[in-house]
Amino acid sequence: MASTVEKRGISGDAKMLSDAKVRAAKPRPKSYKLSDANRLFLLVTPSGGKLWRYGYAYDGKQKTLAFGAYPQVSLSDARMKRDEAAGLLAEGHDPNVVKKLKIEATMEAARQTFEKVAREWHENAKAQWASVHAADVIRSLERDVFPTIGELPIGQLTPPLVLAVLREVEARGSIETAKRIRQRISAVFVYGIAQGIVKDDPAEKLGAVLKPLRKGRQPAITDLVPLRKMIIAAEEDYARPVTRLALRLLALTAVRPSELRGAEWVEFEGLNGPEPLWRIPSSRMKGDLDRKDELNGDHLVPLTPQAIAVLKALWPLTGCGPLLFPSNRHTHRPMSENAIGYLLNRAGYHGHHVPHGFRAAFSTIMNEWAEREGKEHDRKVIDLMLAHVPTGKVEGAYNRAAYMPRRRELALSWAAMLTDGLPDPEELSERPSKVMGEHSRRRLPSPVAADFRFPSRMKAA
């Protein structure tokens, strides 16, 4: 019976093919073969295609293995593939089956992306961690790693690719965060090695080339635009609404974190009037015993409309108790001293900005502003707003209520610059929370009405 493929070409004992013969082969009405040695042949189709084929017998059956098309696969490449297939036959393997297994293995390797393996690792490991830490770990990968290398096959990642991810984190000043992320990437690779997905860990040795941690004064972002960017990033975290609002009020008032944590509603005066004020008792202020016993040692913080908006958003959450920022577990105790710091860390700013850093940011930005505006006199006012006692003054002889009108003006300028582009505080209280303990306590009505007024006496409602 006649074959659909015209049996024309060079016989087995004739000369082998050459590049010139392959190039010169022209299409014919029917497909035909040009044979090379050891059952390798070129199939020329009527459309002009030139396809490399290898004929072989396996388990009593005649089979054909495709090697690709000419010129993408050259004559020498086709012979190399033929020799590899012949070697497999000699070992008892069917070359077609081996080829299909390799294709499937390659496809499976492509499916094993870094993000897929990382999420499997996280799911496997999170049982040994606290829930807050487990959430921090996966969030750091989602923020800093997955956008760059998450879709790449994990087996194709190299040290330079991983280092590029870490350099991006370092570039924003988050030196320690970069080190922690390297450890987490390395842990993913160790998991992949154990699962047989990858063979080595390209992140293993990168710790030696990362930037060293800064030492000395507490880190702070002192440029306005990066400062706003950091606040936005931190406020998007799945934190307690109370913690988000604490961060915003700390940034607006530039008080010490300890003074913020212990704030009580009774310390706030005139919240419904034109000149609202936060009077921090001298007993809660940093200083020596003379100040703590001083009659007029209270620190006065003029409140801006932006700060009042924070208090309005906070009132339904904690207005039932004495503290503005109580612990989630114990309402009579202040929030953890680490709560705001952890919030900044989770946003990727560990080692770059701490809660106390808002004071440095306020001082630097406002002093530069005063210099640009030609208001050198404002330097002493800014120091007073930070509760700094000028050189040569003693605690008891310092007028803490001085320059109040100017202090209020500077507070307004600072708040306007700081909150440009930031979301409304009411939105912060409505964002998803990882700990919803506030809802287990009695809540006050939300002050969304334009005519909302705080109680005349700020104490537990």
Side-chain angles (χ1 to χ4, degrees), residues 5 8 17-19 21-25 31-36 39-45 49-54 68-71 73-75 78:
V5 176
R8 299 183 60 181
L17 287 176
S18 65
D19 285 322
K21 290 181 180 179
V22 173
R23 287 196 302 270
S31 298
Y32 68 96
K33 295 189 292 185
L34 294 177
S35 299
D36 194 58
R39 307 191 69 176
L40 174 67
F41 62 90
L42 184 74
L43 179 66
V44 184
T45 67
K50 300 176 181 180
L51 310 176
W52 293 112
R53 296 291 186 264
Y54 172 62
Y70 180 88
V73 178
S74 67
L75 174 59

PDB file of all heavy atoms in Angstrom, residues 5 8 17-19 21-25 31-36 39-45 49-54 68-71 73-75 78:
ATOM      1  N   VAL A   5       3.567   9.599   2.435  1.00  0.00           N
ATOM      2  CA  VAL A   5       4.862  10.263   2.341  1.00  0.00           C
ATOM      3  C   VAL A   5       5.650   9.608   1.229  1.00  0.00           C
ATOM      4  O   VAL A   5       5.892   8.415   1.239  1.00  0.00           O
ATOM      5  CB  VAL A   5       5.641  10.148   3.664  1.00  0.00           C
ATOM      6  CG1 VAL A   5       7.010  10.768   3.499  1.00  0.00           C
ATOM      7  CG2 VAL A   5       4.878  10.788   4.800  1.00  0.00           C
ATOM      8  N   ARG A   8      11.228   9.043  -1.197  1.00  0.00           N
ATOM      9  CA  ARG A   8      12.347   9.435  -2.043  1.00  0.00           C
ATOM     10  C   ARG A   8      13.415  10.024  -1.146  1.00  0.00           C
ATOM     11  O   ARG A   8      13.153  10.549  -0.084  1.00  0.00           O
ATOM     12  CB  ARG A   8      11.906  10.477  -3.070  1.00  0.00           C
ATOM     13  CG  ARG A   8      10.816   9.963  -4.012  1.00  0.00           C
ATOM     14  CD  ARG A   8      10.476  10.999  -5.039  1.00  0.00           C
ATOM     15  NE  ARG A   8      11.648  11.351  -5.836  1.00  0.00           N
ATOM     16  CZ  ARG A   8      11.637  12.263  -6.799  1.00  0.00           C
ATOM     17  NH1 ARG A   8      10.527  12.923  -7.063  1.00  0.00           N
ATOM     18  NH2 ARG A   8      12.746  12.538  -7.476  1.00  0.00           N
ATOM     19  N   LEU A  17      23.439  13.833   4.937  1.00  0.00           N
ATOM     20  CA  LEU A  17      22.997  15.186   4.586  1.00  0.00           C
ATOM     21  C   LEU A  17      24.073  16.213   4.890  1.00  0.00           C
ATOM     22  O   LEU A  17      24.946  16.011   5.736  1.00  0.00           O
ATOM     23  CB  LEU A  17      21.734  15.542   5.376  1.00  0.00           C
ATOM     24  CG  LEU A  17      20.427  14.861   4.962  1.00  0.00           C
ATOM     25  CD1 LEU A  17      19.303  15.267   5.910  1.00  0.00           C
ATOM     26  CD2 LEU A  17      20.064  15.221   3.533  1.00  0.00           C
ATOM     27  N   SER A  18      23.987  17.343   4.208  1.00  0.00           N
ATOM     28  CA  SER A  18      24.849  18.491   4.480  1.00  0.00           C
ATOM     29  C   SER A  18      23.946  19.712   4.627  1.00  0.00           C
ATOM     30  O   SER A  18      22.786  19.696   4.222  1.00  0.00           O
ATOM     31  CB  SER A  18      25.833  18.714   3.339  1.00  0.00           C
ATOM     32  OG  SER A  18      25.145  19.077   2.150  1.00  0.00           O
ATOM     33  N   ASP A  19      24.476  20.775   5.188  1.00  0.00           N
ATOM     34  CA  ASP A  19      23.696  22.007   5.328  1.00  0.00           C
ATOM     35  C   ASP A  19      23.229  22.519   3.973  1.00  0.00           C
ATOM     36  O   ASP A  19      22.105  23.022   3.835  1.00  0.00           O
ATOM     37  CB  ASP A  19      24.520  23.087   6.038  1.00  0.00           C
ATOM     38  CG  ASP A  19      24.642  22.822   7.532  1.00  0.00           C
ATOM     39  OD1 ASP A  19      23.659  22.353   8.133  1.00  0.00           O
ATOM     40  OD2 ASP A  19      25.709  23.107   8.110  1.00  0.00           O
ATOM     41  N   LYS A  21      22.513  20.754   1.277  1.00  0.00           N
ATOM     42  CA  LYS A  21      21.392  19.951   0.792  1.00  0.00           C
ATOM     43  C   LYS A  21      20.094  20.296   1.528  1.00  0.00           C
ATOM     44  O   LYS A  21      19.023  20.340   0.924  1.00  0.00           O
ATOM     45  CB  LYS A  21      21.704  18.467   0.971  1.00  0.00           C
ATOM     46  CG  LYS A  21      22.788  17.956   0.025  1.00  0.00           C
ATOM     47  CD  LYS A  21      23.026  16.470   0.252  1.00  0.00           C
ATOM     48  CE  LYS A  21      24.103  15.952  -0.701  1.00  0.00           C
ATOM     49  NZ  LYS A  21      24.357  14.502  -0.475  1.00  0.00           N
ATOM     50  N   VAL A  22      20.235  20.522   2.820  1.00  0.00           N
ATOM     51  CA  VAL A  22      19.037  20.851   3.602  1.00  0.00           C
ATOM     52  C   VAL A  22      18.469  22.191   3.148  1.00  0.00           C
ATOM     53  O   VAL A  22      17.266  22.343   2.944  1.00  0.00           O
ATOM     54  CB  VAL A  22      19.369  20.876   5.105  1.00  0.00           C
ATOM     55  CG1 VAL A  22      18.166  21.380   5.907  1.00  0.00           C
ATOM     56  CG2 VAL A  22      19.778  19.498   5.587  1.00  0.00           C
ATOM     57  N   ARG A  23      19.345  23.189   2.939  1.00  0.00           N
ATOM     58  CA  ARG A  23      18.883  24.503   2.493  1.00  0.00           C
ATOM     59  C   ARG A  23      18.258  24.437   1.107  1.00  0.00           C
ATOM     60  O   ARG A  23      17.301  25.143   0.802  1.00  0.00           O
ATOM     61  CB  ARG A  23      20.046  25.496   2.487  1.00  0.00           C
ATOM     62  CG  ARG A  23      20.503  25.947   3.868  1.00  0.00           C
ATOM     63  CD  ARG A  23      21.357  27.201   3.757  1.00  0.00           C
ATOM     64  NE  ARG A  23      22.518  26.973   2.894  1.00  0.00           N
ATOM     65  CZ  ARG A  23      23.708  26.540   3.306  1.00  0.00           C
ATOM     66  NH1 ARG A  23      23.890  26.268   4.609  1.00  0.00           N
ATOM     67  NH2 ARG A  23      24.704  26.355   2.464  1.00  0.00           N
ATOM     68  N   ALA A  24      18.822  23.563   0.252  1.00  0.00           N
ATOM     69  CA  ALA A  24      18.372  23.502  -1.145  1.00  0.00           C
ATOM     70  C   ALA A  24      17.089  22.696  -1.329  1.00  0.00           C
ATOM     71  O   ALA A  24      16.491  22.727  -2.406  1.00  0.00           O
ATOM     72  CB  ALA A  24      19.478  22.901  -2.010  1.00  0.00           C
ATOM     73  N   ALA A  25      16.649  21.984  -0.302  1.00  0.00           N
ATOM     74  CA  ALA A  25      15.450  21.145  -0.437  1.00  0.00           C
ATOM     75  C   ALA A  25      14.232  22.003  -0.721  1.00  0.00           C
ATOM     76  O   ALA A  25      13.949  22.962  -0.007  1.00  0.00           O
ATOM     77  CB  ALA A  25      15.251  20.327   0.842  1.00  0.00           C
ATOM     78  N   SER A  31       4.684  15.272   0.736  1.00  0.00           N
ATOM     79  CA  SER A  31       5.803  15.293   1.684  1.00  0.00           C
ATOM     80  C   SER A  31       6.825  14.232   1.308  1.00  0.00           C
ATOM     81  O   SER A  31       6.460  13.148   0.820  1.00  0.00           O
ATOM     82  CB  SER A  31       5.293  15.027   3.108  1.00  0.00           C
ATOM     83  OG  SER A  31       4.398  16.033   3.525  1.00  0.00           O
ATOM     84  N   TYR A  32       8.080  14.532   1.532  1.00  0.00           N
ATOM     85  CA  TYR A  32       9.122  13.541   1.253  1.00  0.00           C
ATOM     86  C   TYR A  32      10.230  13.670   2.293  1.00  0.00           C
ATOM     87  O   TYR A  32      10.316  14.656   3.025  1.00  0.00           O
ATOM     88  CB  TYR A  32       9.677  13.718  -0.163  1.00  0.00           C
ATOM     89  CG  TYR A  32      10.466  14.996  -0.397  1.00  0.00           C
ATOM     90  CD1 TYR A  32      11.861  15.008  -0.311  1.00  0.00           C
ATOM     91  CD2 TYR A  32       9.817  16.184  -0.747  1.00  0.00           C
ATOM     92  CE1 TYR A  32      12.585  16.173  -0.531  1.00  0.00           C
ATOM     93  CE2 TYR A  32      10.527  17.351  -0.982  1.00  0.00           C
ATOM     94  CZ  TYR A  32      11.916  17.342  -0.865  1.00  0.00           C
ATOM     95  OH  TYR A  32      12.631  18.495  -1.094  1.00  0.00           O
ATOM     96  N   LYS A  33      11.081  12.617   2.332  1.00  0.00           N
ATOM     97  CA  LYS A  33      12.129  12.562   3.345  1.00  0.00           C
ATOM     98  C   LYS A  33      13.499  12.667   2.696  1.00  0.00           C
ATOM     99  O   LYS A  33      13.739  12.108   1.622  1.00  0.00           O
ATOM    100  CB  LYS A  33      12.057  11.255   4.130  1.00  0.00           C
ATOM    101  CG  LYS A  33      10.789  11.099   4.946  1.00  0.00           C
ATOM    102  CD  LYS A  33      10.872   9.893   5.878  1.00  0.00           C
ATOM    103  CE  LYS A  33      10.874   8.581   5.106  1.00  0.00           C
ATOM    104  NZ  LYS A  33      10.832   7.415   6.005  1.00  0.00           N
ATOM    105  N   LEU A  34      14.400  13.362   3.414  1.00  0.00           N
ATOM    106  CA  LEU A  34      15.832  13.353   3.097  1.00  0.00           C
ATOM    107  C   LEU A  34      16.520  12.711   4.287  1.00  0.00           C
ATOM    108  O   LEU A  34      16.483  13.239   5.398  1.00  0.00           O
ATOM    109  CB  LEU A  34      16.349  14.778   2.879  1.00  0.00           C
ATOM    110  CG  LEU A  34      15.785  15.529   1.657  1.00  0.00           C
ATOM    111  CD1 LEU A  34      16.336  16.950   1.614  1.00  0.00           C
ATOM    112  CD2 LEU A  34      16.138  14.782   0.372  1.00  0.00           C
ATOM    113  N   SER A  35      17.130  11.571   4.054  1.00  0.00           N
ATOM    114  CA  SER A  35      17.652  10.786   5.165  1.00  0.00           C
ATOM    115  C   SER A  35      19.084  11.134   5.504  1.00  0.00           C
ATOM    116  O   SER A  35      19.902  11.457   4.636  1.00  0.00           O
ATOM    117  CB  SER A  35      17.570   9.288   4.835  1.00  0.00           C
ATOM    118  OG  SER A  35      16.235   8.899   4.636  1.00  0.00           O
ATOM    119  N   ASP A  36      19.387  11.080   6.799  1.00  0.00           N
ATOM    120  CA  ASP A  36      20.743  11.211   7.322  1.00  0.00           C
ATOM    121  C   ASP A  36      21.108   9.851   7.919  1.00  0.00           C
ATOM    122  O   ASP A  36      20.362   8.877   7.758  1.00  0.00           O
ATOM    123  CB  ASP A  36      20.778  12.323   8.374  1.00  0.00           C
ATOM    124  CG  ASP A  36      22.200  12.735   8.713  1.00  0.00           C
ATOM    125  OD1 ASP A  36      22.940  13.138   7.796  1.00  0.00           O
ATOM    126  OD2 ASP A  36      22.558  12.684   9.903  1.00  0.00           O
ATOM    127  N   ARG A  39      18.967   6.691  11.018  1.00  0.00           N
ATOM    128  CA  ARG A  39      17.521   6.855  11.036  1.00  0.00           C
ATOM    129  C   ARG A  39      17.049   8.281  11.317  1.00  0.00           C
ATOM    130  O   ARG A  39      15.880   8.503  11.602  1.00  0.00           O
ATOM    131  CB  ARG A  39      16.876   5.888  12.025  1.00  0.00           C
ATOM    132  CG  ARG A  39      17.289   4.427  11.782  1.00  0.00           C
ATOM    133  CD  ARG A  39      16.468   3.462  12.574  1.00  0.00           C
ATOM    134  NE  ARG A  39      15.083   3.411  12.077  1.00  0.00           N
ATOM    135  CZ  ARG A  39      14.156   2.571  12.566  1.00  0.00           C
ATOM    136  NH1 ARG A  39      14.478   1.726  13.557  1.00  0.00           N
ATOM    137  NH2 ARG A  39      12.934   2.569  12.084  1.00  0.00           N
ATOM    138  N   LEU A  40      17.959   9.237  11.242  1.00  0.00           N
ATOM    139  CA  LEU A  40      17.555  10.641  11.302  1.00  0.00           C
ATOM    140  C   LEU A  40      17.166  11.081   9.899  1.00  0.00           C
ATOM    141  O   LEU A  40      17.849  10.758   8.931  1.00  0.00           O
ATOM    142  CB  LEU A  40      18.707  11.507  11.816  1.00  0.00           C
ATOM    143  CG  LEU A  40      18.469  13.028  11.793  1.00  0.00           C
ATOM    144  CD1 LEU A  40      17.380  13.431  12.783  1.00  0.00           C
ATOM    145  CD2 LEU A  40      19.774  13.770  12.087  1.00  0.00           C
ATOM    146  N   PHE A  41      16.044  11.806   9.740  1.00  0.00           N
ATOM    147  CA  PHE A  41      15.666  12.297   8.425  1.00  0.00           C
ATOM    148  C   PHE A  41      14.980  13.653   8.530  1.00  0.00           C
ATOM    149  O   PHE A  41      14.489  14.052   9.595  1.00  0.00           O
ATOM    150  CB  PHE A  41      14.762  11.287   7.704  1.00  0.00           C
ATOM    151  CG  PHE A  41      13.451  11.012   8.378  1.00  0.00           C
ATOM    152  CD1 PHE A  41      12.315  11.766   8.083  1.00  0.00           C
ATOM    153  CD2 PHE A  41      13.330   9.968   9.295  1.00  0.00           C
ATOM    154  CE1 PHE A  41      11.103  11.501   8.680  1.00  0.00           C
ATOM    155  CE2 PHE A  41      12.114   9.697   9.901  1.00  0.00           C
ATOM    156  CZ  PHE A  41      10.996  10.457   9.598  1.00  0.00           C
ATOM    157  N   LEU A  42      14.974  14.342   7.404  1.00  0.00           N
ATOM    158  CA  LEU A  42      14.311  15.639   7.282  1.00  0.00           C
ATOM    159  C   LEU A  42      13.031  15.434   6.483  1.00  0.00           C
ATOM    160  O   LEU A  42      13.077  14.972   5.344  1.00  0.00           O
ATOM    161  CB  LEU A  42      15.221  16.647   6.578  1.00  0.00           C
ATOM    162  CG  LEU A  42      14.678  18.085   6.482  1.00  0.00           C
ATOM    163  CD1 LEU A  42      14.753  18.765   7.852  1.00  0.00           C
ATOM    164  CD2 LEU A  42      15.470  18.898   5.454  1.00  0.00           C
ATOM    165  N   LEU A  43      11.889  15.787   7.078  1.00  0.00           N
ATOM    166  CA  LEU A  43      10.609  15.683   6.394  1.00  0.00           C
ATOM    167  C   LEU A  43      10.288  17.036   5.781  1.00  0.00           C
ATOM    168  O   LEU A  43      10.127  18.028   6.490  1.00  0.00           O
ATOM    169  CB  LEU A  43       9.512  15.264   7.376  1.00  0.00           C
ATOM    170  CG  LEU A  43       8.103  15.132   6.793  1.00  0.00           C
ATOM    171  CD1 LEU A  43       8.046  13.977   5.798  1.00  0.00           C
ATOM    172  CD2 LEU A  43       7.089  14.930   7.919  1.00  0.00           C
ATOM    173  N   VAL A  44      10.199  17.079   4.443  1.00  0.00           N
ATOM    174  CA  VAL A  44       9.894  18.314   3.725  1.00  0.00           C
ATOM    175  C   VAL A  44       8.421  18.273   3.328  1.00  0.00           C
ATOM    176  O   VAL A  44       7.986  17.369   2.613  1.00  0.00           O
ATOM    177  CB  VAL A  44      10.786  18.480   2.479  1.00  0.00           C
ATOM    178  CG1 VAL A  44      10.511  19.830   1.816  1.00  0.00           C
ATOM    179  CG2 VAL A  44      12.262  18.365   2.858  1.00  0.00           C
ATOM    180  N   THR A  45       7.660  19.255   3.775  1.00  0.00           N
ATOM    181  CA  THR A  45       6.215  19.267   3.542  1.00  0.00           C
ATOM    182  C   THR A  45       5.869  20.092   2.304  1.00  0.00           C
ATOM    183  O   THR A  45       6.677  20.917   1.854  1.00  0.00           O
ATOM    184  CB  THR A  45       5.483  19.865   4.759  1.00  0.00           C
ATOM    185  OG1 THR A  45       5.806  21.256   4.866  1.00  0.00           O
ATOM    186  CG2 THR A  45       5.884  19.153   6.047  1.00  0.00           C
ATOM    187  N   GLY A  49       7.736  23.418   4.855  1.00  0.00           N
ATOM    188  CA  GLY A  49       8.295  23.135   6.163  1.00  0.00           C
ATOM    189  C   GLY A  49       9.366  22.062   6.098  1.00  0.00           C
ATOM    190  O   GLY A  49       9.277  21.130   5.302  1.00  0.00           O
ATOM    191  N   LYS A  50      10.396  22.178   6.933  1.00  0.00           N
ATOM    192  CA  LYS A  50      11.489  21.203   6.999  1.00  0.00           C
ATOM    193  C   LYS A  50      11.586  20.729   8.451  1.00  0.00           C
ATOM    194  O   LYS A  50      12.072  21.461   9.318  1.00  0.00           O
ATOM    195  CB  LYS A  50      12.796  21.817   6.530  1.00  0.00           C
ATOM    196  CG  LYS A  50      12.734  22.318   5.072  1.00  0.00           C
ATOM    197  CD  LYS A  50      14.024  23.010   4.654  1.00  0.00           C
ATOM    198  CE  LYS A  50      13.918  23.513   3.211  1.00  0.00           C
ATOM    199  NZ  LYS A  50      15.167  24.199   2.759  1.00  0.00           N
ATOM    200  N   LEU A  51      11.112  19.517   8.704  1.00  0.00           N
ATOM    201  CA  LEU A  51      10.945  19.018  10.061  1.00  0.00           C
ATOM    202  C   LEU A  51      11.874  17.840  10.327  1.00  0.00           C
ATOM    203  O   LEU A  51      11.913  16.880   9.542  1.00  0.00           O
ATOM    204  CB  LEU A  51       9.482  18.573  10.272  1.00  0.00           C
ATOM    205  CG  LEU A  51       8.411  19.602   9.853  1.00  0.00           C
ATOM    206  CD1 LEU A  51       7.027  18.993  10.013  1.00  0.00           C
ATOM    207  CD2 LEU A  51       8.547  20.892  10.652  1.00  0.00           C
ATOM    208  N   TRP A  52      12.623  17.928  11.413  1.00  0.00           N
ATOM    209  CA  TRP A  52      13.533  16.845  11.771  1.00  0.00           C
ATOM    210  C   TRP A  52      12.758  15.734  12.468  1.00  0.00           C
ATOM    211  O   TRP A  52      11.970  15.980  13.374  1.00  0.00           O
ATOM    212  CB  TRP A  52      14.635  17.349  12.697  1.00  0.00           C
ATOM    213  CG  TRP A  52      15.602  18.313  12.058  1.00  0.00           C
ATOM    214  CD1 TRP A  52      15.751  19.623  12.320  1.00  0.00           C
ATOM    215  CD2 TRP A  52      16.558  17.996  11.049  1.00  0.00           C
ATOM    216  NE1 TRP A  52      16.727  20.177  11.546  1.00  0.00           N
ATOM    217  CE2 TRP A  52      17.255  19.191  10.746  1.00  0.00           C
ATOM    218  CE3 TRP A  52      16.895  16.824  10.354  1.00  0.00           C
ATOM    219  CZ2 TRP A  52      18.258  19.252   9.795  1.00  0.00           C
ATOM    220  CZ3 TRP A  52      17.907  16.897   9.419  1.00  0.00           C
ATOM    221  CH2 TRP A  52      18.573  18.088   9.147  1.00  0.00           C
ATOM    222  N   ARG A  53      13.014  14.497  12.042  1.00  0.00           N
ATOM    223  CA  ARG A  53      12.358  13.340  12.633  1.00  0.00           C
ATOM    224  C   ARG A  53      13.392  12.234  12.859  1.00  0.00           C
ATOM    225  O   ARG A  53      14.390  12.130  12.141  1.00  0.00           O
ATOM    226  CB  ARG A  53      11.241  12.805  11.715  1.00  0.00           C
ATOM    227  CG  ARG A  53      10.078  13.766  11.496  1.00  0.00           C
ATOM    228  CD  ARG A  53       9.260  13.945  12.756  1.00  0.00           C
ATOM    229  NE  ARG A  53       8.064  14.745  12.529  1.00  0.00           N
ATOM    230  CZ  ARG A  53       7.989  16.040  12.762  1.00  0.00           C
ATOM    231  NH1 ARG A  53       9.074  16.695  13.194  1.00  0.00           N
ATOM    232  NH2 ARG A  53       6.857  16.695  12.563  1.00  0.00           N
ATOM    233  N   TYR A  54      13.081  11.431  13.835  1.00  0.00           N
ATOM    234  CA  TYR A  54      13.949  10.288  14.149  1.00  0.00           C
ATOM    235  C   TYR A  54      13.078   9.048  14.263  1.00  0.00           C
ATOM    236  O   TYR A  54      12.137   8.999  15.056  1.00  0.00           O
ATOM    237  CB  TYR A  54      14.685  10.553  15.467  1.00  0.00           C
ATOM    238  CG  TYR A  54      15.462   9.371  16.001  1.00  0.00           C
ATOM    239  CD1 TYR A  54      16.526   8.807  15.278  1.00  0.00           C
ATOM    240  CD2 TYR A  54      15.149   8.812  17.245  1.00  0.00           C
ATOM    241  CE1 TYR A  54      17.245   7.738  15.777  1.00  0.00           C
ATOM    242  CE2 TYR A  54      15.870   7.741  17.757  1.00  0.00           C
ATOM    243  CZ  TYR A  54      16.915   7.200  17.020  1.00  0.00           C
ATOM    244  OH  TYR A  54      17.628   6.142  17.517  1.00  0.00           O
ATOM    245  N   GLY A  68      12.025  19.152  16.038  1.00  0.00           N
ATOM    246  CA  GLY A  68      11.874  20.552  15.728  1.00  0.00           C
ATOM    247  C   GLY A  68      12.051  20.837  14.248  1.00  0.00           C
ATOM    248  O   GLY A  68      12.238  19.922  13.435  1.00  0.00           O
ATOM    249  N   ALA A  69      12.007  22.115  13.892  1.00  0.00           N
ATOM    250  CA  ALA A  69      12.047  22.526  12.486  1.00  0.00           C
ATOM    251  C   ALA A  69      13.367  23.194  12.150  1.00  0.00           C
ATOM    252  O   ALA A  69      13.992  23.841  12.986  1.00  0.00           O
ATOM    253  CB  ALA A  69      10.892  23.476  12.188  1.00  0.00           C
ATOM    254  N   TYR A  70      13.774  22.994  10.906  1.00  0.00           N
ATOM    255  CA  TYR A  70      14.933  23.686  10.357  1.00  0.00           C
ATOM    256  C   TYR A  70      14.461  25.061   9.851  1.00  0.00           C
ATOM    257  O   TYR A  70      13.361  25.161   9.286  1.00  0.00           O
ATOM    258  CB  TYR A  70      15.551  22.869   9.207  1.00  0.00           C
ATOM    259  CG  TYR A  70      16.755  23.503   8.560  1.00  0.00           C
ATOM    260  CD1 TYR A  70      18.028  23.270   9.058  1.00  0.00           C
ATOM    261  CD2 TYR A  70      16.598  24.348   7.458  1.00  0.00           C
ATOM    262  CE1 TYR A  70      19.134  23.870   8.461  1.00  0.00           C
ATOM    263  CE2 TYR A  70      17.703  24.951   6.864  1.00  0.00           C
ATOM    264  CZ  TYR A  70      18.965  24.708   7.373  1.00  0.00           C
ATOM    265  OH  TYR A  70      20.064  25.296   6.807  1.00  0.00           O
ATOM    266  N   PRO A  71      15.185  26.150  10.053  1.00  0.00           N
ATOM    267  CA  PRO A  71      16.570  26.252  10.528  1.00  0.00           C
ATOM    268  C   PRO A  71      16.693  26.493  12.040  1.00  0.00           C
ATOM    269  O   PRO A  71      17.804  26.655  12.542  1.00  0.00           O
ATOM    270  CB  PRO A  71      17.095  27.465   9.751  1.00  0.00           C
ATOM    271  CG  PRO A  71      15.906  28.352   9.610  1.00  0.00           C
ATOM    272  CD  PRO A  71      14.728  27.438   9.461  1.00  0.00           C
ATOM    273  N   VAL A  73      16.320  24.470  14.366  1.00  0.00           N
ATOM    274  CA  VAL A  73      17.163  23.348  14.788  1.00  0.00           C
ATOM    275  C   VAL A  73      18.073  23.010  13.623  1.00  0.00           C
ATOM    276  O   VAL A  73      17.612  22.581  12.558  1.00  0.00           O
ATOM    277  CB  VAL A  73      16.303  22.131  15.186  1.00  0.00           C
ATOM    278  CG1 VAL A  73      17.199  20.952  15.572  1.00  0.00           C
ATOM    279  CG2 VAL A  73      15.352  22.495  16.332  1.00  0.00           C
ATOM    280  N   SER A  74      19.355  23.234  13.799  1.00  0.00           N
ATOM    281  CA  SER A  74      20.313  23.006  12.715  1.00  0.00           C
ATOM    282  C   SER A  74      20.564  21.515  12.523  1.00  0.00           C
ATOM    283  O   SER A  74      20.113  20.680  13.327  1.00  0.00           O
ATOM    284  CB  SER A  74      21.626  23.715  13.025  1.00  0.00           C
ATOM    285  OG  SER A  74      22.251  23.110  14.158  1.00  0.00           O
ATOM    286  N   LEU A  75      21.299  21.184  11.469  1.00  0.00           N
ATOM    287  CA  LEU A  75      21.652  19.784  11.203  1.00  0.00           C
ATOM    288  C   LEU A  75      22.464  19.213  12.357  1.00  0.00           C
ATOM    289  O   LEU A  75      22.205  18.088  12.823  1.00  0.00           O
ATOM    290  CB  LEU A  75      22.438  19.679   9.889  1.00  0.00           C
ATOM    291  CG  LEU A  75      22.996  18.308   9.535  1.00  0.00           C
ATOM    292  CD1 LEU A  75      21.885  17.263   9.433  1.00  0.00           C
ATOM    293  CD2 LEU A  75      23.794  18.378   8.222  1.00  0.00           C
ATOM    294  N   ALA A  78      20.212  18.565  15.301  1.00  0.00           N
ATOM    295  CA  ALA A  78      19.369  17.396  15.094  1.00  0.00           C
ATOM    296  C   ALA A  78      20.153  16.113  15.338  1.00  0.00           C
ATOM    297  O   ALA A  78      19.634  15.152  15.915  1.00  0.00           O
ATOM    298  CB  ALA A  78      18.788  17.412  13.683  1.00  0.00           C
TER     299      ALA A  78
END
